[in-house]
Amino acid sequence: MTLRPLGDRVVIKKVEAEETTKSGIVLPGAAKEKPQIAEVIAVGPGGFQNGVEVKMELKVGDKVIFSKYSGNEVKVDGIEYTILKQEDVLAIVE
Amino acid sequence: MTLRPLGDRVVIKKVEAEETTKSGIVLPGAAKEKPQIAEVIAVGPGGFQNGVEVKMELKVGDKVIFSKYSGNEVKVDGIEYTILKQEDVLAIVE
Amino acid sequence: MTLRPLGDRVVIKKVEAEETTKSGIVLPGAAKEKPQIAEVIAVGPGGFQNGVEVKMELKVGDKVIFSKYSGNEVKVDGIEYTILKQEDVLAIVE
Amino acid sequence: MTLRPLGDRVVIKKVEAEETTKSGIVLPGAAKEKPQIAEVIAVGPGGFQNGVEVKMELKVGDKVIFSKYSGNEVKVDGIEYTILKQEDVLAIVE
Amino acid sequence: MTLRPLGDRVVIKKVEAEETTKSGIVLPGAAKEKPQIAEVIAVGPGGFQNGVEVKMELKVGDKVIFSKYSGNEVKVDGIEYTILKQEDVLAIVE
Amino acid sequence: MTLRPLGDRVVIKKVEAEETTKSGIVLPGAAKEKPQIAEVIAVGPGGFQNGVEVKMELKVGDKVIFSKYSGNEVKVDGIEYTILKQEDVLAIVE
Amino acid sequence: MTLRPLGDRVVIKKVEAEETTKSGIVLPGAAKEKPQIAEVIAVGPGGFQNGVEVKMELKVGDKVIFSKYSGNEVKVDGIEYTILKQEDVLAIVE
């Protein structure tokens, strides 16, 4: 079962906290804040959104940082994903 | 008695919770949160909305994920539907 | 005495609650919520609204569902009407 | 002393409550709500407002219904008027 | 010392309350509300504001009514002025 | 060390309260409100802001009045400046 | 591990408080407010954002002042960065 995002949305899956620590990436703030690093799992087709053409720049496999207040969380087959618009992705981590 | 959505709206019907569990799809959050998986029942004609042309990409029968804070609920002939704009549909589940 | 709506507005008259029950249409929510099913009584001319042309798709006699938080209520000759913009009408009931 | 409204504004004068009752028009709500029926006293020139051309459709003498939360009240020579934009006029009463 | 307003702003000076009463103009509301009648003292050049051309229709000496919640108050050489955008002027009093 | 504002921003330095009193300019309001008269210290290049071309009309040395709720305060080399958009400058004092 | 900002975003790193004091730059306000001076570490490609082309004017190494309420903070390899849109950068410090 897969998720196919609409428009300029992407589906991302958070990188596990352990993995995050190992790679030396830690996000500041309260201990309960979830990490904001995630991997891109699926990319929408882009196209016209509110009359403005959006070109998708992200691709499956990109590691990204996103605002923790963006997007919608959903669990499919026991795995948690976040669906958000490409413009809410802040940066690619390389 | 049927619902014919106007403009860029679609009518969706939530997939029953039991069915949701069976298919392995569970949505996180408080136990009282309703599932956000639904089936598309009717699709509006699209066309110009606020001066911007909207092309309908959803079709009847699509299984979709939508934000639980989107749309309006209505009960017709004893069945609950949600009417929402296509842009509030997050992803198609396949 | 009649109401002639301006611009992209329509005048609708709620279908009586009894009638609603008879036709099998019930709206969920608190018992005090008024039914959201109404009949279109008058349709504005449409035309340019905020620089955007609006084409009226509703016609007198249509049965519609509308958001209960939309529009303005007014009583004329003892009858209650709601005046709202066409874009706040969610769907046509057939 | 007269009021000449600017842009797409109109000056209206509320129809007296007594007159309102006589004509069979009553507005629902708390007893203290002022009637929303008024007569158009002066019409602005229209023209470009925020880059969008507004054509005035109202004329002096029209009886109109307006949202009670719209416009600004002013008293000139002892008479109360409301100045509001044409788009805040809901319908013409005929 | 003079004020030269920028863009589509005008500088206005409130007409004294006494003068207001004499001319028969009184504004309703709490006794502490300041009169909203003022004289235009200076007019900005207009021109493009947010990409939209604004043509100044007011001229020095016009008596105007403005919304009391509009504009910024400033005292220069002991005299109080209000600086506001032309679109916040409701009507000209003649 | 100098500040070079970006886009349609200007850097201004408040005129000292003493100097303000001497020149006869006093701003009304609570005693703790800071004077809103300032001198322009640096002017950004203007250009396209949100797709709209902004032409800078202010120049270094202009005395201006600005809304006290506009802009960001910053202290450089012990001197306090305010950085704000040109559109938040209300008028030039001459 | 590096950050590659998307669209019209830049990655900046705050200049240490000590260094700030040494260079004579202090920001006013509560003692707990973090300094708003930062160095540009990475610059996004710009391009069309919401249908409007954004040209990047900042370059790596620029010292900038930014609004403390702008952007998102992130810690990578133990170093804190802020990711914000170029339009939220107020001025370049030279």
Side-chain angles (χ1 to χ4, degrees):
Chain A
M1 181 167 285
T2 64
L3 291 172
R4 184 155 64 81
L6 289 177
D8 57 348
R9 288 189 178 88
V10 295
V11 178
I12 60 178
K13 184 175 149 249
K14 288 176 193 160
V15 172
E16 291 299 319
E18 288 75 18
E19 179 179 340
T20 305
T21 304
K22 219 181 299 181
S23 69
I25 300 173
V26 189
L27 293 177
K32 288 186 176 181
E33 285 181 4
K34 297 176 188 173
Q36 293 164 289
I37 308 278
E39 185 177 342
V40 177
I41 301 298
V43 178
F48 284 88
Q49 307 295 320
N50 289 321
V52 168
E53 191 170 10
V54 176
K55 195 180 141 193
M56 302 309 285
E57 297 174 31
L58 293 172
K59 57 181 191 304
V60 173
D62 281 347
K63 295 283 173 62
V64 297
I65 295 184
F66 66 105
S67 168
K68 70 192 155 200
Y69 303 114
S70 303
N72 293 70
E73 300 187 349
V74 61
K75 197 183 251 183
V76 177
D77 294 339
I79 300 171
E80 273 190 34
Y81 298 100
T82 297
I83 303 174
L84 77 173
K85 285 174 170 282
Q86 179 177 260
E87 69 182 13
D88 290 328
V89 172
L90 304 174
I92 297 179
V93 184
E94 292 178 333
Chain B
M1 180 166 285
T2 63
L3 291 172
R4 184 156 63 83
L6 289 176
D8 57 347
R9 288 188 178 89
V10 295
V11 177
I12 60 178
K13 183 175 149 247
K14 289 177 192 160
V15 172
E16 292 300 320
E18 288 74 19
E19 180 179 339
T20 306
T21 303
K22 219 180 299 178
S23 68
I25 299 173
V26 190
L27 293 178
K32 288 185 176 180
E33 286 182 4
K34 298 175 187 172
Q36 294 163 291
I37 308 279
E39 184 176 343
V40 177
I41 300 299
V43 177
F48 283 89
Q49 307 296 320
N50 289 320
V52 168
E53 191 171 9
V54 177
K55 195 179 142 194
M56 302 309 285
E57 297 174 32
L58 293 172
K59 57 181 193 303
V60 172
D62 281 346
K63 294 284 174 61
V64 297
I65 295 183
F66 66 105
S67 167
K68 70 192 153 197
Y69 302 114
S70 303
N72 293 69
E73 301 188 348
V74 61
K75 196 184 251 184
V76 177
D77 294 341
I79 300 171
E80 273 190 35
Y81 297 99
T82 297
I83 303 174
L84 78 172
K85 286 173 170 281
Q86 178 177 261
E87 69 183 13
D88 290 328
V89 172
L90 303 174
I92 297 179
V93 184
E94 291 178 333
Chain C
M1 179 165 286
T2 62
L3 292 172
R4 183 155 65 83
L6 289 176
D8 57 347
R9 288 188 178 89
V10 295
V11 178
I12 60 178
K13 184 175 149 248
K14 289 177 191 159
V15 173
E16 293 299 320
E18 289 75 17
E19 181 178 340
T20 306
T21 305
K22 217 180 299 178
S23 68
I25 299 174
V26 189
L27 294 179
K32 288 185 176 181
E33 286 182 3
K34 298 176 187 171
Q36 293 164 290
I37 307 278
E39 185 177 343
V40 176
I41 301 299
V43 178
F48 283 88
Q49 307 297 321
N50 290 320
V52 168
E53 191 171 10
V54 177
K55 196 179 142 194
M56 302 308 286
E57 297 174 32
L58 293 172
K59 59 182 191 302
V60 173
D62 280 347
K63 295 284 174 61
V64 297
I65 295 183
F66 66 104
S67 168
K68 70 191 154 199
Y69 302 115
S70 303
N72 293 69
E73 301 188 349
V74 61
K75 195 184 252 183
V76 177
D77 294 339
I79 301 171
E80 272 189 39
Y81 298 99
T82 296
I83 304 173
L84 78 172
K85 287 173 169 282
Q86 179 177 261
E87 69 183 13
D88 290 327
V89 172
L90 303 174
I92 297 179
V93 183
E94 292 178 334
Chain D
M1 179 165 287
T2 62
L3 291 172
R4 185 154 65 81
L6 289 176
D8 56 348
R9 289 188 178 89
V10 296
V11 177
I12 60 177
K13 185 176 148 246
K14 290 177 191 160
V15 173
E16 293 300 320
E18 289 75 18
E19 181 179 341
T20 306
T21 304
K22 216 180 302 180
S23 68
I25 300 173
V26 190
L27 293 178
K32 288 187 177 180
E33 286 182 3
K34 298 176 187 172
Q36 294 163 290
I37 308 278
E39 185 177 343
V40 176
I41 302 299
V43 178
F48 283 88
Q49 307 297 321
N50 289 320
V52 168
E53 192 171 9
V54 176
K55 197 179 142 193
M56 301 309 285
E57 298 174 31
L58 293 172
K59 58 182 190 304
V60 173
D62 280 347
K63 294 284 175 61
V64 297
I65 294 183
F66 66 105
S67 168
K68 69 192 154 197
Y69 302 115
S70 302
N72 293 69
E73 300 188 349
V74 61
K75 194 184 252 183
V76 176
D77 295 339
I79 301 170
E80 272 189 38
Y81 298 100
T82 296
I83 304 174
L84 77 173
K85 287 174 168 282
Q86 178 177 262
E87 69 182 13
D88 290 327
V89 173
L90 303 174
I92 297 179
V93 183
E94 293 178 333
Chain E
M1 180 167 286
T2 63
L3 291 173
R4 184 154 65 80
L6 289 177
D8 56 348
R9 289 187 178 89
V10 296
V11 178
I12 61 178
K13 185 175 148 249
K14 288 177 191 160
V15 173
E16 292 300 319
E18 288 75 17
E19 181 179 342
T20 305
T21 304
K22 218 180 301 181
S23 67
I25 300 173
V26 190
L27 294 177
K32 289 187 177 180
E33 285 183 5
K34 297 177 187 172
Q36 294 164 288
I37 308 278
E39 185 178 342
V40 176
I41 301 300
V43 178
F48 284 88
Q49 307 297 320
N50 288 322
V52 169
E53 191 171 9
V54 177
K55 196 179 142 193
M56 301 309 286
E57 299 174 30
L58 293 172
K59 57 181 190 305
V60 172
D62 280 348
K63 294 284 173 60
V64 297
I65 294 184
F66 66 104
S67 168
K68 68 192 156 198
Y69 302 116
S70 302
N72 293 69
E73 301 187 348
V74 62
K75 195 184 252 182
V76 176
D77 295 340
I79 301 170
E80 272 190 35
Y81 298 100
T82 297
I83 304 173
L84 77 173
K85 287 174 168 282
Q86 179 178 261
E87 69 181 13
D88 290 327
V89 173
L90 303 174
I92 297 179
V93 183
E94 293 179 331
Chain F
M1 180 168 285
T2 63
L3 290 172
R4 184 155 66 80
L6 288 177
D8 57 348
R9 289 188 178 88
V10 296
V11 178
I12 61 178
K13 185 175 148 247
K14 288 175 192 163
V15 173
E16 292 299 319
E18 288 75 17
E19 181 178 341
T20 305
T21 304
K22 218 180 301 180
S23 68
I25 300 172
V26 189
L27 293 177
K32 289 188 177 180
E33 285 183 4
K34 297 177 188 171
Q36 293 164 289
I37 308 279
E39 185 177 341
V40 176
I41 301 299
V43 177
F48 284 88
Q49 306 297 320
N50 288 322
V52 169
E53 191 171 9
V54 177
K55 195 179 141 193
M56 301 309 286
E57 298 173 30
L58 294 172
K59 58 180 189 305
V60 173
D62 281 347
K63 293 284 174 59
V64 297
I65 294 184
F66 66 103
S67 167
K68 68 192 156 200
Y69 302 116
S70 302
N72 293 70
E73 301 187 349
V74 63
K75 195 184 254 183
V76 176
D77 295 339
I79 301 171
E80 273 190 36
Y81 298 100
T82 297
I83 303 173
L84 78 173
K85 286 174 168 283
Q86 179 178 260
E87 69 181 14
D88 290 327
V89 173
L90 303 174
I92 296 179
V93 183
E94 291 179 333
Chain G
M1 181 167 283
T2 63
L3 291 172
R4 184 154 65 81
L6 289 177
D8 57 348
R9 289 188 178 88
V10 295
V11 178
I12 61 178
K13 185 176 147 245
K14 288 174 191 161
V15 172
E16 292 299 320
E18 287 76 17
E19 179 178 342
T20 305
T21 303
K22 219 181 300 180
S23 68
I25 300 172
V26 190
L27 293 177
K32 288 187 177 181
E33 284 181 5
K34 297 177 188 172
Q36 293 164 290
I37 308 279
E39 185 177 342
V40 177
I41 301 299
V43 178
F48 284 89
Q49 307 296 321
N50 288 321
V52 169
E53 190 171 10
V54 177
K55 195 180 141 193
M56 302 308 286
E57 297 174 31
L58 293 172
K59 59 181 189 305
V60 173
D62 282 347
K63 293 283 173 60
V64 298
I65 295 185
F66 66 104
S67 167
K68 69 192 155 199
Y69 302 115
S70 303
N72 293 70
E73 300 188 350
V74 62
K75 196 182 251 183
V76 176
D77 294 339
I79 301 170
E80 272 190 36
Y81 298 100
T82 297
I83 303 174
L84 77 173
K85 285 173 169 281
Q86 179 177 260
E87 69 182 13
D88 289 328
V89 173
L90 304 174
I92 297 179
V93 184
E94 291 178 334

